Amino acid sequence: MNSLVLALVGVGMILAGYFLYSKYLANRIYALDDSRTAPSEQFEDGVDYVPTNKYVLWGHHFTSVAGAAPIVGPAVAVIWGWLPAFLWVTLGTVFFAGMHDMGALWASVRNRGQSIGALSGRYIGARGRNLFLVVIFLLLLMVNAAFAVVIAGLLIATPTAVIPTWGALVVAFLIGQAIYRYKWNLPLVSVVGVVALYALIVVGDNVPLALPETVLGLPDNAFWIIVLFVYAGIASMLPVWMLLQPRDYINGLQLFIALGILYGSVLIARPEIVAPAYNQNVPDGTPGIMPLLFVTIACGAISGFHGMVSSGTSSKQLAKESDARFVGYFGAVGEGLLALGAIIATTAGFKTLADWENVYQAFNDGGVSAFVEGGGAIIEAGLGLPQSLSATIMATTAILFAATTMDTGVRLQRFVVQEIGDIAGVTLRKNLATIIAVGVGLALTFGAGADGSGGMLIWPLFGTTNQLMAALTLSIIAIMLLRRGRTPLPALIPLVFVGAVTVYALFVQLGTFYEESNWLLLIMDIVILIAALWVIVEAFAAMRTARAYDGDDDAELAQEAVDAAASTRSQD
């Protein structure tokens, strides 16, 4: 199979999903209505609630949800062959991820920009909400700790990416000032920002910055991890327009350009895929493709983290409901294209099958390094860029994706900590909640030693927890559709499939952790499994109730929004 054929078929399927299926969802299922006042306008505070241009918001949303997972997941999953990964990424993007991400945005916007955790209290009940928050808290903990470790590792392995990674912060800050303070023309700002970012990549490629093995008595990776958490904590408290939004926007543009470079190189070089379509010679110790394929490729097909971003930050910035189609569904399209690019890079970026098998000697041997190596080789062959510059572009792409996800992840963790505080009757201010969010992440990361290895301890549960979160979000969407008398099938079918494979995977992992005497993961697996089964039972009970609902959910929500706005004004 030639990689160009795979790219054309995959891109065609994903774009058809956006132009056809998302239109059906927007008009017939969600009935997006621009006559409604969006929460971003109704509760505008200049910090979290900020009406935003849909292209800028798409950049924030896309880069926040993408992270490193749509690269890591497919890059690991191709060990079973490229065909299963290709089918799950393309079909999953069209019928699962786009529907889920756009639906979470819609559900939150109709509920005053509330998070999925808060919505679970309204539609499933207080007990379901509490269990929901447990799952959300653990998922964010995994994301923040693991991504800090991944980014630190990439900065050390690719010192040419250090300058563009941190220089992007300066570029983003200036872009935020140009857009919001000085009202510059957006296309002009975009061009200047992208040129500045790529200039940094060229500078970084010529001026690599490698830390000594120890800094202030800490290993170099531990130093980077602490710096990343401190930065993310500060960034999470700044107004979204000052750093988060412009940083994500310019990263989104850069990342789409990087995808263009990768796909353009495939078009020119047309490398053959050397990996088998279905690998029957997997290394010893590789788990079964069913159900692990569907949790290994979490982002890139469907991801619960997307629902948390949609309802946590994006919904508070959506200017009008119809933007949910572009921001939510097209955000999933961007991630699907990235996952497809990762599949191509890791299966066609090697010269021979023996070279590929030499990289994939064991499960989890692929990942970001295989993406950087394979993608760099394709770009070198296609565009003729030097191998070093190609690798710097790929490494910077992966780091910026992961870093923007961590920015948003710490902010969301702060929201969750505050919600848990509210349930416990304790009001937590933003600063204290942020310190708690950063503190638990650092505690996990360094809990196993000063090298930061603890950050990956609970990563094996990321895929299952993430997919479980997606199933729970779909249950809320299905309940809301039932309460409006609309068909819940677009949500219900993905919900049943994802819920079933996730619970199956949790049971499989339970046996694995027991055999390995990995008691930490075993206990966490049991906690997540119990929470999952409990919330699923509560969710299906809530669906039965929703079928008999004869009220007007939209009218009730509109009145609640008016009351909340009046309360906010009186407090001011």
Side-chain angles (χ1 to χ4, degrees):
M1 168 71 79
N2 189 281
S3 59
L4 179 59
V5 176
L6 195 66
L8 291 175
V9 173
V11 172
M13 289 172 66
I14 292 173
L15 290 181
Y18 175 70
F19 288 112
L20 301 176
Y21 190 52
S22 76
K23 188 175 183 179
Y24 164 74
L25 292 174
N27 295 336
R28 303 292 296 276
I29 301 301
Y30 297 131
L32 301 181
D33 182 359
D34 285 345
S35 67
R36 297 171 179 275
T37 304
S40 63
E41 182 181 342
Q42 191 160 17
F43 304 106
E44 184 173 359
D45 60 4
V47 179
D48 295 318
Y49 291 85
V50 180
T52 304
N53 177 290
K54 70 176 182 180
Y55 299 106
V56 175
L57 182 55
W58 175 84
H60 156 68
H61 181 82
F62 169 50
T63 53
S64 295
V65 301
I71 297 173
V72 175
V76 171
V78 294
I79 199 167
W80 290 297
W82 60 262
L83 184 58
F86 172 80
L87 291 175
W88 179 224
V89 163
T90 50
L91 296 176
T93 296
V94 172
F95 296 107
F96 288 58
M99 188 277 165
H100 168 276
D101 297 6
M102 190 163 95
L105 258 178
W106 165 75
S108 179
V109 167
R110 288 288 171 98
N111 282 274
R112 294 179 283 134
Q114 291 181 323
S115 71
I116 285 296
L119 298 190
S120 63
R122 177 186 181 88
Y123 291 105
I124 298 179
R127 193 166 46 216
R129 177 198 59 193
N130 296 343
L131 293 167
F132 220 103
L133 286 176
V134 171
V135 177
I136 293 173
F137 186 87
L138 290 174
L139 180 57
L140 288 171
L141 185 59
M142 294 177 203
V143 169
N144 294 334
F147 278 24
V149 175
V150 169
I151 296 168
L154 283 168
L155 289 173
I156 293 169
T158 319
T160 54
V162 172
I163 286 180
T165 296
W166 295 105
L169 297 180
V170 179
V171 174
F173 178 80
L174 295 176
I175 285 177
Q177 298 296 313
I179 293 176
Y180 286 100
R181 191 178 294 275
Y182 300 107
K183 311 296 182 187
W184 282 19
N185 177 274
L186 183 59
L188 174 63
V189 174
S190 305
V191 171
V192 172
V194 169
V195 170
L197 200 54
Y198 270 87
L200 287 168
I201 290 176
V202 174
V203 171
D205 190 53
N206 287 283
V207 187
L209 292 181
L211 294 178
E213 290 187 3
T214 58
V215 182
L216 302 175
L218 294 170
D220 51 0
N221 64 326
F223 177 80
W224 277 132
I225 289 169
I226 292 174
V227 170
L228 286 163
F229 265 110
V230 171
Y231 153 73
I234 295 172
S236 73
M237 291 188 288
L238 294 175
V240 290
W241 65 268
M242 191 173 287
L243 186 61
L244 187 69
Q245 258 188 15
R247 172 171 156 78
D248 291 354
Y249 173 62
I250 201 67
N251 284 348
L253 291 178
Q254 187 272 330
L255 296 167
F256 239 69
I257 291 172
L259 281 177
I261 291 173
L262 179 61
Y263 279 106
S265 299
V266 170
L267 180 63
I268 296 170
R270 289 176 285 177
E272 289 292 326
I273 297 175
V274 298
Y278 184 79
N279 189 10
Q280 295 180 309
N281 186 34
V282 295
D284 292 340
T286 302
I289 188 172
M290 182 67 190
L292 268 298
L293 170 72
F294 301 99
V295 295
T296 301
I297 303 179
C299 302
I302 183 169
S303 162
F305 184 73
H306 295 197
M308 294 163 63
V309 173
S310 294
S311 64
T313 58
S314 300
S315 63
K316 297 176 177 61
Q317 302 169 61
L318 202 73
K320 57 181 186 291
E321 278 198 6
S322 61
D323 288 352
R325 182 186 173 206
F326 182 77
V327 175
Y329 199 100
F330 200 70
V333 165
E335 183 158 86
L337 293 177
L338 177 62
L340 179 60
I343 293 171
I344 293 172
T346 54
T347 57
F350 300 92
K351 291 183 179 177
T352 65
L353 175 60
D355 290 341
W356 183 80
E357 289 178 334
N358 191 44
V359 172
Y360 286 84
Q361 292 186 28
F363 188 64
N364 276 335
D365 269 4
V368 176
S369 58
F371 171 75
V372 171
E373 182 181 349
I378 291 175
I379 292 173
E380 184 183 10
L383 300 182
L385 296 180
Q387 191 277 334
S388 172
L389 182 58
S390 301
T392 300
I393 292 173
M394 288 293 98
T396 303
T397 300
I399 291 173
L400 292 182
F401 262 122
T404 49
T405 297
M406 190 178 170
D407 287 358
T408 304
V410 172
R411 185 179 287 260
L412 293 174
Q413 189 77 310
R414 185 239 299 172
F415 292 157
V416 172
V417 169
Q418 288 178 309
E419 282 186 31
I420 292 173
D422 290 340
I423 293 171
V426 178
T427 301
L428 295 173
R429 292 186 178 276
K430 187 166 62 177
N431 293 355
L432 179 57
T434 302
I435 290 172
I436 294 173
V438 170
V440 293
L442 284 171
L444 173 65
T445 307
F446 292 106
D451 61 353
S453 58
M456 300 303 288
L457 277 180
I458 60 175
W459 183 254
L461 281 172
F462 168 76
T464 44
T465 310
N466 195 35
Q467 300 303 71
L468 173 64
M469 189 66 218
L472 299 179
T473 300
L474 287 168
S475 70
I476 290 174
I477 296 171
I479 291 169
M480 287 185 64
L481 293 173
L482 283 167
R483 286 170 71 113
R484 286 162 176 75
R486 299 175 201 154
T487 175
L489 289 179
L492 209 52
I493 293 172
L495 163 62
V496 171
F497 180 81
V498 174
V501 295
T502 303
V503 171
Y504 182 13
L506 280 167
F507 275 111
V508 170
Q509 288 181 319
L510 202 63
T512 303
F513 298 148
Y514 178 76
E515 291 173 359
E516 296 173 348
S517 300
N518 194 332
W519 307 122
L520 172 65
L521 292 185
L522 182 69
I523 293 170
M524 291 190 67
D525 194 308
I526 292 172
V527 170
I528 293 169
L529 187 56
I530 291 173
L533 294 174
W534 200 333
V535 175
I536 287 171
V537 170
E538 298 256 1
F540 276 97
M543 285 182 207
R544 293 185 60 185
T545 304
R547 291 183 64 185
Y549 177 76
D550 60 357
D552 188 335
D553 200 31
D554 281 332
E556 291 176 19
L557 294 172
Q559 186 57 49
E560 287 179 12
V562 170
D563 294 343
S567 174
T568 301
R569 284 195 295 272
S570 65
Q571 290 174 8
D572 293 340

mmCIF file of all heavy atoms in Angstrom, residues 410-425:
data_model
loop_
_atom_site.group_PDB
_atom_site.id
_atom_site.type_symbol
_atom_site.label_atom_id
_atom_site.label_comp_id
_atom_site.label_asym_id
_atom_site.label_seq_id
_atom_site.Cartn_x
_atom_site.Cartn_y
_atom_site.Cartn_z
ATOM 1 N N VAL A 410 -4.360 22.056 33.696
ATOM 2 C CA VAL A 410 -4.209 22.627 35.043
ATOM 3 C C VAL A 410 -5.356 23.581 35.349
ATOM 4 O O VAL A 410 -5.888 23.615 36.465
ATOM 5 C CB VAL A 410 -2.843 23.335 35.173
ATOM 6 C CG1 VAL A 410 -2.753 24.097 36.495
ATOM 7 C CG2 VAL A 410 -1.713 22.320 35.088
ATOM 8 N N ARG A 411 -5.777 24.351 34.344
ATOM 9 C CA ARG A 411 -6.923 25.250 34.549
ATOM 10 C C ARG A 411 -8.181 24.440 34.875
ATOM 11 O O ARG A 411 -8.947 24.781 35.773
ATOM 12 C CB ARG A 411 -7.150 26.111 33.298
ATOM 13 C CG ARG A 411 -8.243 27.163 33.438
ATOM 14 C CD ARG A 411 -8.365 27.979 32.154
ATOM 15 N NE ARG A 411 -7.267 28.891 31.965
ATOM 16 C CZ ARG A 411 -7.304 30.197 32.241
ATOM 17 N NH1 ARG A 411 -8.405 30.738 32.723
ATOM 18 N NH2 ARG A 411 -6.257 30.955 32.017
ATOM 19 N N LEU A 412 -8.402 23.352 34.123
ATOM 20 C CA LEU A 412 -9.573 22.511 34.387
ATOM 21 C C LEU A 412 -9.478 21.850 35.761
ATOM 22 O O LEU A 412 -10.485 21.698 36.462
ATOM 23 C CB LEU A 412 -9.696 21.434 33.295
ATOM 24 C CG LEU A 412 -10.024 21.943 31.893
ATOM 25 C CD1 LEU A 412 -9.971 20.785 30.898
ATOM 26 C CD2 LEU A 412 -11.395 22.586 31.870
ATOM 27 N N GLN A 413 -8.274 21.442 36.133
ATOM 28 C CA GLN A 413 -8.105 20.821 37.457
ATOM 29 C C GLN A 413 -8.474 21.816 38.559
ATOM 30 O O GLN A 413 -9.058 21.448 39.569
ATOM 31 C CB GLN A 413 -6.653 20.346 37.626
ATOM 32 C CG GLN A 413 -6.396 19.508 38.863
ATOM 33 C CD GLN A 413 -6.887 18.075 38.699
ATOM 34 O OE1 GLN A 413 -8.016 17.849 38.300
ATOM 35 N NE2 GLN A 413 -6.053 17.118 39.019
ATOM 36 N N ARG A 414 -8.156 23.074 38.322
ATOM 37 C CA ARG A 414 -8.535 24.101 39.291
ATOM 38 C C ARG A 414 -10.062 24.201 39.401
ATOM 39 O O ARG A 414 -10.613 24.273 40.496
ATOM 40 C CB ARG A 414 -7.953 25.459 38.851
ATOM 41 C CG ARG A 414 -8.200 26.572 39.852
ATOM 42 C CD ARG A 414 -8.993 27.739 39.268
ATOM 43 N NE ARG A 414 -8.317 28.374 38.164
ATOM 44 C CZ ARG A 414 -8.907 29.311 37.402
ATOM 45 N NH1 ARG A 414 -10.142 29.689 37.678
ATOM 46 N NH2 ARG A 414 -8.278 29.840 36.380
ATOM 47 N N PHE A 415 -10.756 24.163 38.242
ATOM 48 C CA PHE A 415 -12.220 24.194 38.275
ATOM 49 C C PHE A 415 -12.771 23.007 39.070
ATOM 50 O O PHE A 415 -13.707 23.144 39.864
ATOM 51 C CB PHE A 415 -12.796 24.143 36.846
ATOM 52 C CG PHE A 415 -12.527 25.368 36.018
ATOM 53 C CD1 PHE A 415 -12.551 25.296 34.631
ATOM 54 C CD2 PHE A 415 -12.260 26.593 36.605
ATOM 55 C CE1 PHE A 415 -12.303 26.417 33.855
ATOM 56 C CE2 PHE A 415 -12.017 27.728 35.840
ATOM 57 C CZ PHE A 415 -12.033 27.636 34.457
ATOM 58 N N VAL A 416 -12.199 21.823 38.832
ATOM 59 C CA VAL A 416 -12.688 20.613 39.497
ATOM 60 C C VAL A 416 -12.446 20.707 41.008
ATOM 61 O O VAL A 416 -13.320 20.351 41.813
ATOM 62 C CB VAL A 416 -11.992 19.360 38.918
ATOM 63 C CG1 VAL A 416 -12.339 18.123 39.739
ATOM 64 C CG2 VAL A 416 -12.401 19.148 37.481
ATOM 65 N N VAL A 417 -11.280 21.195 41.392
ATOM 66 C CA VAL A 417 -10.984 21.351 42.820
ATOM 67 C C VAL A 417 -11.992 22.301 43.460
ATOM 68 O O VAL A 417 -12.497 22.052 44.571
ATOM 69 C CB VAL A 417 -9.540 21.884 43.008
ATOM 70 C CG1 VAL A 417 -9.301 22.311 44.454
ATOM 71 C CG2 VAL A 417 -8.537 20.807 42.613
ATOM 72 N N GLN A 418 -12.325 23.383 42.750
ATOM 73 C CA GLN A 418 -13.305 24.327 43.295
ATOM 74 C C GLN A 418 -14.693 23.696 43.383
ATOM 75 O O GLN A 418 -15.425 23.940 44.338
ATOM 76 C CB GLN A 418 -13.330 25.595 42.430
ATOM 77 C CG GLN A 418 -12.079 26.453 42.600
ATOM 78 C CD GLN A 418 -12.068 27.682 41.700
ATOM 79 O OE1 GLN A 418 -12.271 27.588 40.494
ATOM 80 N NE2 GLN A 418 -11.819 28.851 42.292
ATOM 81 N N GLU A 419 -15.058 22.881 42.372
ATOM 82 C CA GLU A 419 -16.360 22.206 42.414
ATOM 83 C C GLU A 419 -16.430 21.230 43.584
ATOM 84 O O GLU A 419 -17.441 21.148 44.283
ATOM 85 C CB GLU A 419 -16.606 21.460 41.097
ATOM 86 C CG GLU A 419 -17.033 22.357 39.959
ATOM 87 C CD GLU A 419 -17.409 21.566 38.713
ATOM 88 O OE1 GLU A 419 -17.896 20.427 38.863
ATOM 89 O OE2 GLU A 419 -17.195 22.066 37.602
ATOM 90 N N ILE A 420 -15.343 20.485 43.799
ATOM 91 C CA ILE A 420 -15.316 19.551 44.922
ATOM 92 C C ILE A 420 -15.413 20.329 46.240
ATOM 93 O O ILE A 420 -16.107 19.928 47.174
ATOM 94 C CB ILE A 420 -14.027 18.706 44.883
ATOM 95 C CG1 ILE A 420 -14.055 17.767 43.668
ATOM 96 C CG2 ILE A 420 -13.864 17.901 46.174
ATOM 97 C CD1 ILE A 420 -12.764 17.006 43.446
ATOM 98 N N GLY A 421 -14.739 21.475 46.290
ATOM 99 C CA GLY A 421 -14.837 22.325 47.474
ATOM 100 C C GLY A 421 -16.257 22.796 47.712
ATOM 101 O O GLY A 421 -16.751 22.788 48.852
ATOM 102 N N ASP A 422 -16.948 23.184 46.651
ATOM 103 C CA ASP A 422 -18.334 23.639 46.788
ATOM 104 C C ASP A 422 -19.223 22.527 47.349
ATOM 105 O O ASP A 422 -20.088 22.762 48.199
ATOM 106 C CB ASP A 422 -18.874 24.095 45.431
ATOM 107 C CG ASP A 422 -18.225 25.393 44.971
ATOM 108 O OD1 ASP A 422 -17.668 26.112 45.834
ATOM 109 O OD2 ASP A 422 -18.265 25.682 43.762
ATOM 110 N N ILE A 423 -19.007 21.300 46.837
ATOM 111 C CA ILE A 423 -19.810 20.165 47.328
ATOM 112 C C ILE A 423 -19.553 19.933 48.812
ATOM 113 O O ILE A 423 -20.469 19.605 49.582
ATOM 114 C CB ILE A 423 -19.479 18.895 46.516
ATOM 115 C CG1 ILE A 423 -19.958 19.060 45.073
ATOM 116 C CG2 ILE A 423 -20.118 17.660 47.149
ATOM 117 C CD1 ILE A 423 -19.480 17.960 44.150
ATOM 118 N N ALA A 424 -18.279 20.147 49.221
ATOM 119 C CA ALA A 424 -17.924 19.942 50.632
ATOM 120 C C ALA A 424 -18.271 21.154 51.491
ATOM 121 O O ALA A 424 -18.027 21.150 52.708
ATOM 122 C CB ALA A 424 -16.427 19.645 50.737
ATOM 123 N N GLY A 425 -18.818 22.205 50.847
ATOM 124 C CA GLY A 425 -19.192 23.402 51.608
ATOM 125 C C GLY A 425 -18.032 24.319 51.902
ATOM 126 O O GLY A 425 -18.108 25.160 52.804
#
